[in-house]
Amino acid sequence: MDKEKLGLIHIYTGNGKGKTTAAMGLVLRASGRGLKVIVGQFLKGRETGELKTLALLPGVEVFRGKPLTKFSFQMSDGEKEEVLQSHNHFIGELAQRCAETKADLLVLDEVIGACSTKLLDEKLLLDFLKNKPKHLEVVMTGRNPSEALLEMADYVSEICKRKHPFDRGIPAREGIEK
């Protein structure tokens, strides 16, 4: 594989189901081709089915930010500040791990949501993207990306919800949505 062809930035966004699923599909493909992959998850606290499978894939490491038990709109100002500081530190740890391992693919799951809810300083993310290793492919997921993130991206895929069982009161199901 010619790793010199890597280095693009992807965004999976929109109000539909499947942003993380699309990113995990790319992790699966990259692992199958022998690439070194790092997955960093923001804003997620509960166990999900993909975590068990990712642990089995060669060359894939998963890191999770501070586990959240509330949505940002339910947090006090103090809780938001604590999560902000934790996430700001986490993005630095992920950047360091990418450099140490010479990772080929970095997935920043829900990093856009962390930025749009002010639970991550977007300037830190933008600085990382501007200064990332040239060959590092980066995937970001989440709703409401800023214009600055959209401009930096090479791929922008929007997943649009037309229908979702949650709208009928059906909660997330194990193995399908979680």
Side-chain angles (χ1 to χ4, degrees):
M1 150 146 257
D2 184 4
K3 293 185 180 184
E4 293 300 313
K5 293 182 179 178
L6 299 177
L8 301 181
I9 298 173
H10 309 236
I11 290 178
Y12 300 144
T13 190
N15 65 356
K17 175 192 176 308
K19 296 175 286 294
T20 296
T21 304
M24 296 307 130
L26 191 52
V27 169
L28 185 65
R29 177 177 288 159
S31 173
R33 292 293 186 179
L35 299 180
K36 293 178 190 168
V37 180
I38 293 178
V39 176
Q41 290 191 313
F42 294 79
L43 304 179
K44 295 195 172 178
R46 66 181 177 202
E47 286 297 310
T48 60
E50 69 264 14
L51 293 175
K52 293 177 183 181
T53 303
L54 291 174
L56 302 173
L57 294 176
V60 177
E61 292 183 279
V62 179
F63 300 92
R64 300 186 95 194
K66 181 178 178 58
L68 300 184
T69 57
K70 299 178 181 178
F71 291 106
S72 60
F73 62 84
Q74 297 170 316
M75 294 179 191
S76 69
D77 289 344
E79 289 169 321
K80 287 179 187 177
E81 182 61 28
E82 183 182 327
V83 173
L84 171 69
Q85 294 308 317
S86 175
H87 282 161
N88 288 349
H89 182 71
F90 184 48
I91 195 79
E93 289 177 330
L94 291 170
Q96 183 176 346
R97 188 67 185 151
C98 284
E100 290 169 356
T101 63
K102 295 183 174 53
D104 302 303
L105 174 65
L106 172 63
V107 174
L108 298 171
D109 189 29
E110 281 301 333
V111 73
I112 296 171
C115 289
S116 68
T117 57
K118 308 291 189 238
L119 296 177
L120 173 66
D121 182 350
E122 186 173 291
K123 184 180 180 325
L124 293 175
L125 176 59
L126 290 168
D127 287 346
F128 166 73
L129 293 171
K130 287 175 189 167
N131 299 304
K132 71 177 185 60
K134 185 175 176 149
H135 80 281
L136 182 64
E137 197 91 1
V138 178
V139 175
M140 298 178 287
T141 70
R143 296 177 184 201
N144 305 315
S146 68
E147 283 303 314
L149 286 174
L150 290 170
E151 275 187 36
M152 289 196 86
D154 299 288
Y155 296 87
V156 177
S157 297
E158 188 166 355
I159 298 171
C160 175
K161 178 186 89 163
R162 302 248 178 165
K163 273 175 101 171
H164 196 291
F166 187 77
D167 297 336
R168 296 191 328 242
I170 299 172
R173 298 162 299 145
E174 195 168 305
I176 305 299
E177 290 90 11
K178 63 179 181 176

